[in-house]
Amino acid sequence: MRDGPMHIRHGAALAANLLAPGVGLIVLRRERLGLALAAMFVLTSQVGLWGLLVIPDDVPPALAAGAATAAGVVWVAAQVGMLVRLRRVVPGEVEEQLQVLTDAAATAIAQQRYADACDLLQTALAVDDEDMGLWVGWARLMTLMGRFPVARQAWERVLHLDHQYVHRKEAIQALERLPRM
C-alpha cells in the first residue's frame, strides 16, 4: 500500500471548491483554470453583493444583478470543472500509475541508471507531491547522486509528511550525515 492516499486530497479539494470556487481545481493541479475561476468569482460576487446589499443606490440594478448572476454561473462552472477533473484523475488509477513509476525508478536505480530514475521520480512527484514514499525515494536518490542541497530539502519534506514516524529516524540520520552547503 502506498503512503498518502490521494482520496483524502480529493475530498479536501472538493470541500474547498464548494466554499471557494476554483480552489479545489488548484489543489488538483489545474492551477490556471482554478485561479481564473476563483478570481472571476471573487470579482463578480463582490460587485453583486455591493450592488444588491451594501450600496444598492450607487450601483445600477442591472449591473448588480448581472454580477450576481455571473458569480452563480462561475460557481457552477467551478463545480462542473471539479467533477470533470475528479473523473479524469481516479485515485486508484493514479496510484497504480504512480506504483509503475516507482517500480521503474527502483529498477533504474538498481541498474545504476540514475538519470532515468530521476526523471521517473520527478514525473511521479509532479502527479502527487504529497506522497511520502515518493519523497523518500527522491531523497535517497538525491543523496546517492551527491545532490546534497536537493537531498536535504527532500529529507526535510519527508519529515514534514511523516505523521506516523515511519521514516523519521532515517530522515534525521540522513540530514545529520549530509554535508552543509
Side-chain angles (χ1 to χ4, degrees):
M1 183 114 212
R2 299 188 54 76
D3 296 321
M6 293 186 69
H7 68 276
I8 294 170
R9 181 191 292 183
H10 290 184
L14 185 59
N17 207 63
L18 289 170
L19 297 173
V23 172
L25 289 165
I26 293 169
V27 172
L28 294 180
R29 303 279 189 249
R30 298 287 297 174
E31 293 90 352
R32 289 184 183 145
L33 176 61
L35 183 60
L37 288 169
M40 287 190 314
F41 180 76
V42 167
L43 291 173
T44 56
S45 64
Q46 288 298 311
V47 171
L49 288 172
W50 278 85
L52 294 173
L53 302 175
V54 180
I55 51 170
D57 294 337
D58 295 336
V59 178
L63 176 62
T69 301
V73 169
V74 170
W75 187 89
V76 170
Q79 304 319 309
V80 170
M82 184 72 183
L83 292 175
V84 167
R85 182 67 178 163
L86 285 174
R87 286 188 181 152
R88 286 187 182 160
V89 183
V90 179
E93 291 175 12
V94 171
E95 287 180 2
E96 288 173 17
Q97 292 169 357
L98 289 174
Q99 189 63 52
V100 168
L101 288 169
T102 304
D103 293 345
T107 300
I109 291 169
Q111 296 172 352
Q112 298 182 348
R113 294 183 294 114
Y114 301 132
D116 292 341
C118 188
D119 290 342
L120 290 162
L121 287 175
Q122 282 179 324
T123 300
L125 284 168
V127 172
D128 186 4
D129 67 351
E130 300 276 324
D131 187 308
M132 185 180 54
L134 292 174
W135 280 104
V136 169
W138 179 251
R140 288 174 182 161
L141 178 61
M142 292 298 100
T143 302
L144 182 64
M145 293 177 71
R147 296 184 184 173
F148 301 128
V150 178
R152 180 171 295 285
Q153 290 175 340
W155 285 118
E156 288 171 355
R157 181 74 172 150
V158 169
L159 287 175
H160 175 75
L161 292 172
D162 192 6
H163 303 293
Q164 296 177 343
Y165 304 107
V166 175
H167 298 283
R168 185 165 296 280
K169 183 177 178 181
E170 178 184 5
I172 290 171
Q173 289 174 345
L175 286 167
E176 289 173 350
R177 286 190 303 256
L178 286 174
R180 296 214 179 257
M181 300 181 137

